[in-house]
């Protein structure tokens, strides 16, 4: 009896088979779209996790040179607003000073008359090399890592020490200065 029923209802069996195939297809399509979404999100995450900075932009490397073009020792610091640093040329060497005041983040300025950096917001003051003088700032100015390299061979001639000290300027007409605005050394905290 049951055999007769089955053989008498071939269309119902086909419908059921079609419904199963359709369900499988929808499941596969859903899984595939989920896979694509995961890949897309991972791609964006990786892209944001590894920011790329262009040469000469803030966050990247800024090149200045040759060193023979540097202004005289103890003259007004060079101002680079786009890459957010001042370049000071002291007798001991050069410094790249981050332009943001370590107190509450204002942009401090240079005073030729007083020969020091002064922040207009709350009056913190800093020496030509970024050392804290007075005011509410908790520390000296932050400095960027400088590398001086031979512009022809690429050989590294000098680099900022770990404590952010000066980089002596070599007596090499081909030397160029490379300031890494992605590598900041935090200024020394004062008593
Ligand atoms: S932000 Fe510079 S002294 Fe306050």
């Amino acid at each position: 009896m049951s055999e007769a029923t089955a053989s008498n209802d071939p269309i119902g069996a086909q419908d059921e088979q079609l419904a199963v195939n359709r369900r499988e297809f929808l499941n596969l399509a859903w899984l595939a779209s989920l896979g694509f979404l995961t890949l897309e999100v991972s791609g964006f995450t990786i892209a944001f996790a590894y920011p790329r900075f262009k040469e000469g932009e803030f966050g990247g490397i800024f090149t200045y040179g040759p060193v023979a073009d540097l202004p005289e020792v103890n003259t007004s610091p060079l101002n680079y607003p786009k890459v957010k640093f001042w370049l000071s040329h002291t007798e001991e060497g050069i410094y790249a000073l981050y332009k943001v005041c370590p107190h509450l983040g204002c942009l401090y300025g240079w005073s030729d008359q007083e020969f020091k950096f002064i922040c207009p917001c709350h009056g913190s003051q800093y020496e030509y090399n970024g050392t804290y003088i007075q005011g509410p700032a908790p520390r000296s100015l932050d400095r960027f890592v400088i590398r001086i390299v031979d512009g022809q061979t690429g050989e590294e001639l000098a680099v900022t020490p770990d404590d952010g000290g000066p980089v002596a300027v070599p007596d090499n007409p081909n030397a160029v200065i490379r300031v890494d605005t992605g590598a900041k050394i935090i200024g020394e905290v004062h008593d």
Side-chain angles (χ1 to χ4, degrees), residues 92-154:
E92 297 75 38
I94 53 174
Y95 296 87
L97 306 171
Y98 184 37
K99 295 195 79 167
V100 175
C101 179
H103 179 223
L104 292 177
C106 287
L107 294 179
Y108 60 86
W110 171 253
S111 165
D112 262 334
Q113 293 74 31
E114 302 194 44
F115 202 76
K116 59 189 171 191
F117 295 103
I118 302 174
C119 182
C121 292
H122 313 97
S124 289
Q125 299 184 4
Y126 310 91
E127 291 177 13
Y128 183 55
N129 67 3
T131 303
Y132 169 86
I133 301 173
Q134 65 178 59
R139 61 177 194 267
S140 295
L141 298 175
D142 301 335
R143 296 161 178 169
F144 291 122
V145 172
I146 296 172
R147 284 191 173 73
I148 300 184
V149 300
D150 187 306
Q152 287 182 345
T153 65

Side-chain angles (χ1 to χ4, degrees), residues 25 49 60 63 71 86 90 96 102 112 154 158 180:
F25 173 78
T63 302
W86 295 90
T90 71
D112 262 334
D180 186 350

Side-chain angles (χ1 to χ4, degrees), residues 22-168:
R22 191 162 172 271
R23 253 200 319 275
E24 281 176 354
F25 173 78
L26 288 174
N27 282 344
L28 280 173
W30 183 80
L31 280 173
S33 62
L34 191 67
F36 279 125
L37 184 68
T38 307
L39 280 175
E40 224 171 297
V41 170
S42 312
F44 276 122
T45 307
I46 289 167
F48 280 111
Y50 296 97
R52 283 159 288 175
F53 298 103
K54 287 195 193 134
E55 178 103 13
E57 275 183 358
F58 181 67
I61 306 285
F62 174 86
T63 302
Y64 175 96
V67 292
D69 291 347
L70 274 172
E72 292 293 307
V73 163
N74 291 338
T75 50
S76 305
L78 297 173
N79 184 3
Y80 293 103
K82 260 182 82 180
V83 277
K84 300 184 183 156
F85 69 82
W86 295 90
L87 191 70
S88 292
H89 187 193
T90 71
E91 279 166 11
E92 297 75 38
I94 53 174
Y95 296 87
L97 306 171
Y98 184 37
K99 295 195 79 167
V100 175
C101 179
H103 179 223
L104 292 177
C106 287
L107 294 179
Y108 60 86
W110 171 253
S111 165
D112 262 334
Q113 293 74 31
E114 302 194 44
F115 202 76
K116 59 189 171 191
F117 295 103
I118 302 174
C119 182
C121 292
H122 313 97
S124 289
Q125 299 184 4
Y126 310 91
E127 291 177 13
Y128 183 55
N129 67 3
T131 303
Y132 169 86
I133 301 173
Q134 65 178 59
R139 61 177 194 267
S140 295
L141 298 175
D142 301 335
R143 296 161 178 169
F144 291 122
V145 172
I146 296 172
R147 284 191 173 73
I148 300 184
V149 300
D150 187 306
Q152 287 182 345
T153 65
E155 181 196 355
E156 187 172 287
L157 306 171
V159 64
T160 299
D162 290 347
D163 66 359
V167 185

